[in-house]
Amino acid sequence: MKAAVAAPEGDFKVPRAASVLRHSVTESIRNAILVGRFAPGERLPERELCEMTGVSRTLVREALRQLESEGLIHVIPHRGPVVDRLTPEQAEGIYQVREELEGLACQLFAEHASDAQRKALQEAFQALKRAMTHGTALEKLTAKNFFYQQLLDGAGNEALTTTLRLLNSRVMLLRSTSMQAPGRSKKSLAELADVIDAVAARDGKAARRAGSLHVRNAAKVAIEILRQGDEAAEEESAAAT
């Protein structure tokens, strides 16, 4: 029997502006998955999603198609959409790519960002620290994503940004996973502070090392959580047979 869990904080209702409605519905469902409203392997009933977002089935279905293309969900015949469950091996592959690309982004930012972009990154880091201390799970994740957006903007490499955006949903899912670990938020901030220091010194090589180390440390935490989840699932399955 599935244990009851407290619902994560957050309002997933979406604004009614026609020009942004489709995007808003997709973002709302994506955020609900990322903060644990729907767990890996859990079904996404259309009726529940309509009630959660306050929109029609048509818009929900369009959002689900987009999330499927991002690799965040998959559709099982006769069962419907289900939140994807990343394996430790899949996570390891994603982190290997992230380490190279985000390390490069840190280096390029340190070497090429304008003064305005450096200021924006520093402000994003301060906002991230506030969110990590006082924010909800969704606010923490949003602040972390905003920090990385400023980093990519200042890196000034379109191919790099496009490549990371293709992985964005799965990267966010892993980011959300690693942030669950006790003490990880504090360590994450310390690692990113090293990136900020290297950027301020315009030391590209140091920024790359700091950015790569941050991803490697997050990888260790997230992959261990995924492995523990797989082991628990196997034990539960064995006990049920």
Side-chain angles (χ1 to χ4, degrees):
M1 182 177 179
K2 186 177 178 181
V5 292
E9 296 180 44
D11 181 2
F12 300 103
K13 296 290 185 184
V14 300
R16 285 284 177 180
S19 61
V20 299
L21 190 54
R22 184 181 304 173
H23 170 78
S24 296
V25 174
T26 304
E27 185 175 21
S28 175
I29 299 173
R30 184 191 296 115
N31 286 339
I33 293 170
L34 295 175
V35 301
R37 172 66 175 77
F38 298 100
E42 186 174 349
R43 289 184 63 244
L44 295 164
E46 286 185 3
R47 180 176 180 179
E48 185 173 347
L49 295 177
C50 290
E51 292 174 353
M52 182 186 80
T53 58
V55 300
S56 68
R57 285 179 181 265
T58 298
L59 285 168
V60 164
R61 287 169 182 168
E62 290 176 356
L64 290 174
R65 283 194 290 271
Q66 174 61 34
L67 295 175
E68 184 179 17
S69 73
E70 295 174 7
L72 198 57
I73 70 172
H74 63 281
V75 178
I76 299 176
H78 311 299
R79 192 178 176 205
V82 175
V83 179
D84 206 15
R85 187 192 301 274
L86 289 178
T87 67
E89 293 74 23
Q90 288 173 317
E92 185 174 7
I94 293 170
Y95 274 115
Q96 286 173 343
V97 174
R98 275 191 63 194
E99 182 179 339
E100 294 299 322
L101 296 183
E102 291 183 16
L104 176 59
C106 291
Q107 178 177 352
L108 293 175
F109 189 102
E111 294 173 349
H112 302 299
S114 66
D115 290 342
Q117 288 168 329
R118 293 171 195 276
K119 181 180 179 182
L121 185 69
Q122 180 63 249
E123 290 175 349
F125 180 61
Q126 296 303 320
L128 176 59
K129 288 201 292 186
R130 291 192 295 271
M132 288 297 188
T133 304
H134 304 293
T136 65
L138 182 56
E139 288 168 344
K140 292 175 184 178
L141 192 61
T142 300
K144 190 77 176 283
N145 292 337
F146 184 70
F147 174 85
Y148 274 101
Q149 184 58 60
Q150 304 313 303
L151 181 68
L152 290 173
D153 287 347
N157 186 309
E158 183 180 355
L160 172 64
T161 299
T162 299
T163 303
L164 279 172
R165 280 179 177 163
L166 290 173
L167 290 171
N168 191 48
S169 285
R170 289 191 159 198
V171 166
M172 287 195 294
L173 186 59
L174 290 171
R175 187 171 290 151
S176 178
T177 300
S178 66
M179 287 167 59
Q180 296 172 17
R184 177 57 198 158
S185 293
K186 184 176 181 179
K187 292 178 181 177
S188 177
L189 287 173
E191 293 159 6
L192 292 177
D194 290 339
V195 172
I196 293 292
D197 290 343
V199 162
R202 299 178 186 270
D203 188 335
K205 291 182 178 179
R208 185 167 191 158
R209 287 195 300 271
S212 295
L213 178 62
H214 172 64
V215 175
R216 283 200 302 276
N217 289 340
K220 292 176 185 177
V221 173
I223 291 171
E224 180 59 26
I225 290 174
L226 292 175
R227 284 179 177 151
Q228 290 175 357
D230 284 354
E231 290 171 0
E234 289 175 4
E235 291 175 0
E236 183 177 340
S237 177
T241 58

